Amino acid sequence: MSVDPARLDELTRAVRAAGGRGVGRRSLLRGASLSALALGVPGLLAACGTDSQVQTSDSCTSEDLSGTEKALVFSNWPEYIDRKGKKIPTLAEFETTSGISVTYNTDINDNTEFFGKVKDQLGGCEPVGRDIITMTDWMAARMVGLGWVQELDKSAMPNVEANLKPDLRSPTWDPERDYSVPWQSGLTGIAYNAKYTDEVGSFEELMTRGDLKGKISLLSEMGDTMLFMLLLEGANPEEFTSEEWSGALGRLEGYVGSGQVRRFTGNDYIRDLNAGNVVACEAWSGDVIAMQYDNPDIKWVVPEEGLSLWSDNMLVPNRADHKANAEAMMDFYYQPEIAAKLAAWVNYICPVEGAQQAMEKVDPSLVDNPLIFPGDDFLAGAYGFMELDESTRQQYDKDFARVIGA
């Protein structure tokens, strides 16, 4: 896919002009459709030692205590929700209207890292103390495939059934959305700190400029980082050969060996970028927009090579105690008015039909914001990552882990 430089300039201006207050997140769904792609790439730790940990609804049964316990525990990415100080208005509204008390944790920094925390328990049909976890598509696909996620009761979620956008309804890893509900989508590109460096307009610059040596970071998620390595190799990330993969991997290995890359990170690149420990990095759009409120030196760039587009999904893990309560919360966030309040704060791509109209009352300035309500033309420069069979994805994860030292 060719990328029109003028279009990229337009996208960059749109992103920079957007307001935002939240930090957020990420797997690569796309275009016409977002539903057709759905990554099948496991986490690095998922590549090993999980075959014996596959569960089924018969081998791992869960008891729902929602009828007697009006509570739930929700694990999400840092600041991926609306906030006013220590309060979360939409969650407070849910608690008031439902009578369900929510313990909200921000303990997901990276899909692979989180997988490592819970894989032994979920693989052994043990509780993880969470009723909802929010995973990027490729990791959600992995967990669903391992039988670690409970099937949802769609009859309990009429708002989801009515308002989930059509292009998100049928990912290949969950074609009927039996196990997952999208939370948000977003973009991956480049961020830099203008206090310490000039603009970094492309991944080619990020990986080769001498003044950036040892001062950049890349993401520890294979799909994110290797998508851009494939673009640098001249390959199409949506359809590439094993030879092109090897070339892209060798390219990354060369950058690492040269000392260009300081470290590979999850959401925690935010601290380094703010402090100037890294001056430029691979970054998620919502993180950057949020950082700009406190630090105007933080800039976002749509890379000359293109963008990646991702989505995160709410899942109910096996042995969760409050499945019905979790379904009630998922359904609450699919009311267009609530979705608009959330989107106005986090500035991520909203998965809820009708939220754009509801935004008229929440914040009219955001109604036509392409970061929240993108049209097909906005997504024309975005790429997905080719779906891989199980053995290939395990090998690619091992390759990537070796190069980044994971």
Side-chain angles (χ1 to χ4, degrees):
M1 177 196 310
S2 62
V3 182
D4 182 355
R7 184 66 187 137
L8 288 172
D9 288 344
E10 181 182 345
L11 296 181
T12 300
R13 288 193 298 272
V15 174
R16 287 174 175 171
R21 307 162 191 81
V23 180
R25 289 257 335 100
R26 315 166 313 238
S27 199
L28 311 170
L29 293 175
R30 164 178 156 76
S33 268
L34 298 175
S35 64
L37 181 58
L39 295 179
V41 184
L44 304 182
L45 292 173
C48 310
T50 54
D51 289 346
S52 63
Q53 297 178 309
V54 174
Q55 299 291 342
T56 67
S57 57
D58 292 328
S59 69
C60 188
T61 59
S62 304
E63 181 182 2
D64 190 2
L65 304 179
S66 297
T68 57
E69 297 182 2
K70 295 301 181 182
L72 70 87
V73 180
F74 182 11
S75 280
N76 208 348
W77 298 76
E79 298 301 329
Y80 207 7
I81 201 166
D82 54 310
R83 283 188 181 273
K84 288 184 179 178
K86 294 183 178 181
K87 294 184 178 181
I88 303 174
T90 56
L91 267 189
E93 185 174 345
F94 170 70
E95 290 179 317
T96 298
T97 58
S98 68
I100 297 169
S101 175
V102 180
T103 299
Y104 185 81
N105 298 323
T106 57
D107 54 352
I108 303 177
N109 175 63
D110 172 280
N111 283 288
T112 298
E113 180 182 277
F114 187 80
F115 184 91
K117 293 178 181 179
V118 301
K119 68 184 182 72
D120 291 337
Q121 295 98 312
L122 290 176
C125 188
E126 297 175 0
V128 294
R130 300 166 175 91
D131 300 296
I132 300 176
I133 58 177
T134 308
M135 297 277 95
T136 307
D137 296 286
W138 61 269
M139 184 57 79
R142 181 66 174 177
M143 289 185 168
V144 169
L146 288 166
W148 293 356
V149 177
Q150 295 189 54
E151 185 171 355
L152 300 171
D153 179 2
K154 295 181 183 179
S155 68
M157 300 187 293
N159 290 320
V160 175
E161 287 295 284
N163 298 327
L164 175 60
K165 285 188 173 179
D167 54 9
L168 288 170
R169 286 183 177 270
S170 300
T172 56
W173 53 272
D174 190 11
E176 301 299 324
R177 286 289 183 187
D178 291 324
Y179 300 93
S180 63
V181 174
W183 176 250
Q184 301 285 289
S185 300
L187 303 165
T188 306
I190 293 172
Y192 69 96
N193 190 326
K195 182 177 179 180
Y196 300 103
T197 187
D198 295 332
E199 180 174 349
V200 182
S202 67
F203 263 82
E204 181 71 28
E205 284 188 59
L206 187 69
M207 307 312 303
T208 60
R209 267 178 40 184
D211 62 308
L212 300 178
K213 186 173 182 178
K215 300 177 182 179
I216 74 161
S217 64
L218 298 176
L219 295 170
S220 57
E221 307 238 354
M222 185 270 278
D224 275 319
T225 293
M226 289 307 297
L227 179 142
F228 287 103
M229 294 302 108
L230 285 158
L231 288 173
L232 289 174
E233 192 67 11
N236 181 351
E238 296 173 345
E239 187 175 359
F240 57 88
T241 66
S242 59
E243 290 78 13
E244 288 171 328
W245 167 264
S246 295
L249 189 72
R251 180 180 288 269
L252 178 62
E253 191 167 19
Y255 296 142
V256 172
S258 72
Q260 187 75 5
V261 183
R262 179 184 178 93
R263 61 189 293 245
F264 290 82
T265 75
N267 259 112
D268 49 336
Y269 66 83
I270 294 168
R271 293 189 296 270
D272 280 341
L273 186 62
N274 260 324
N277 297 326
V278 301
V279 300
C281 61
E282 184 180 14
W284 296 306
S285 57
D287 291 352
V288 178
I289 294 167
M291 292 167 71
Q292 288 172 337
Y293 271 78
D294 297 318
N295 187 350
D297 288 323
I298 303 301
K299 310 296 181 182
W300 164 262
V301 172
V302 175
E304 292 177 7
E305 293 85 0
L307 288 164
S308 71
L309 178 68
W310 44 262
S311 292
D312 290 326
N313 307 272
M314 295 179 282
L315 312 171
V316 178
N318 287 347
R319 300 295 304 279
D321 292 329
H322 309 107
K323 176 174 174 284
N325 293 345
E327 291 163 343
M329 202 210 78
M330 294 178 186
D331 199 57
F332 173 82
Y333 275 95
Y334 268 71
Q335 298 174 82
E337 298 79 9
I338 300 300
K341 291 177 183 178
L342 175 63
W345 211 91
V346 302
N347 277 267
Y348 278 97
I349 297 172
C350 181
V352 179
E353 201 74 65
Q356 187 168 16
Q357 291 75 18
M359 189 65 80
E360 291 278 4
K361 294 182 179 179
V362 175
D363 187 342
S365 71
L366 298 179
V367 170
D368 296 318
N369 186 331
L371 293 179
I372 303 174
F373 307 112
D376 291 341
D377 58 338
F378 186 90
L379 300 177
Y383 291 86
F385 195 93
M386 184 173 73
E387 188 172 357
L388 306 170
D389 62 68
E390 179 69 14
S391 62
T392 301
R393 69 186 186 180
Q394 289 191 9
Q395 184 58 56
Y396 284 6
D397 276 333
K398 291 176 183 178
D399 293 343
F400 184 66
R402 173 182 56 81
V403 171
I404 73 171

